[in-house]
Amino acid sequence: MEYIVDQDKSTYIKTQFEKSIGLIPDDIQVGQLIKFYDMTVEKNKVMNLTAITEFEEFVMKHYVDSIAIIKVMDLKDKSYSLIDIGTGAGFPGIPLKIMFPKLNITLFDSLQKRLVFLDEVIRELGLKNITTVHGRAEEFGRKLDYREKYDIVVSRAVAELTPLCELSLPFCKVGGFFISYKGMKGAEELVDAERAIKVLGGKLEETLEFILPVTEKDENNSGRLLIKIGKIKPTDSKYPRGGGKPFKSPLYIDKSSK
Ligand code: SAM
């Protein structure tokens, strides 16, 4: 497939990717990243997809942030199965697919109309081995076709870490990883999630802090934390719990005993 590449945008993407994550996309990948940006901004006029529409900000906060996972997980030339829980407008799933085309990606969300948009994106960009699935994580995490079927589970900006672990870890194969994209508050959430991680069959593998290079106005909001949790045991069949329990009665450490 051929893309007409806007030279300034192309140079900006290549420079920022190389500087921030040490990876330079080729011309096809750059064309796909620009096209995805254009489609998102256009659709955003009629559907709530993102608050970020300025090109440079979009590249940093959506693209570089999504790809930053490579700081804790090597994805180059890997054909891992990966599910993005609460993908929304396709983050981090679409940028990961563009940069690592061998991945087998499932974009999962409870909001159907965002997935209809992502189906259009997949078609227009000519992406293969990527699919959208509509549902609630609490329900699909119990289904045989989804439970413990993914090498990697990722999620960004969906819920606090404790309920998020209950929603996400059931999808992860034993031997696989759940990687949560967080801001700096993630460190406090991680303390609270210690029990949940263990109860759900996980083990904290690594955390990595980094600063997203952003403009001055976002200086106080540029800290990021990647939390990598290994799945070391199958998740007990009683999780995820239904009826909103992961949120109403999260699997915290008993705070009174801290
Ligand atoms: N991950 C994207 C990002 O970082 O830009 C979207 C974040 S958006 C704030 C949260 C998304 O999670 C929404 O699209 C919402 O529909 C989805 N979501 C929330 N709870 C969910 C659940 N229980 N199961 C599936 N999707 C869920």
Side-chain angles (χ1 to χ4, degrees), residues 74-140:
D74 179 17
L75 296 177
K76 196 165 177 282
D77 294 326
K78 301 286 194 295
S79 52
Y80 295 139
S81 54
L82 180 152
I83 186 165
D84 179 7
I85 304 290
T87 189
F91 303 109
I94 295 271
L96 288 177
K97 180 69 201 175
I98 292 174
M99 292 308 294
F100 306 105
K102 291 195 177 158
L103 292 174
N104 264 291
I105 295 195
T106 303
L107 303 172
F108 186 83
D109 205 282
S110 54
L111 208 62
Q112 175 93 49
K113 51 182 191 169
R114 293 203 175 123
L115 296 177
V116 171
F117 164 67
L118 292 176
D119 285 331
E120 273 175 51
V121 170
I122 290 169
R123 254 194 326 271
E124 286 287 316
L125 268 53
L127 302 175
K128 304 279 182 269
N129 297 325
I130 178 166
T131 179
T132 59
V133 175
H134 174 229
R136 294 202 64 81
E138 301 85 316
E139 290 161 23
F140 276 60

Side-chain angles (χ1 to χ4, degrees), residues 162 165 169 192-202 251-253:
T162 298
C165 281
L169 272 166
D192 287 338
E194 199 183 304
R195 171 167 170 251
I197 294 169
K198 196 166 169 211
V199 165
L200 295 159
L251 295 167
Y252 291 137
I253 297 175

Side-chain angles (χ1 to χ4, degrees), residues 46-66:
V46 293
M47 187 191 288
N48 180 16
L49 288 173
T50 177
I52 300 163
T53 53
E54 194 258 328
F55 181 74
E56 283 82 355
E57 200 179 353
F58 197 97
V59 169
M60 296 313 299
K61 292 196 188 160
H62 283 328
Y63 290 167
V64 170
D65 194 39
S66 293

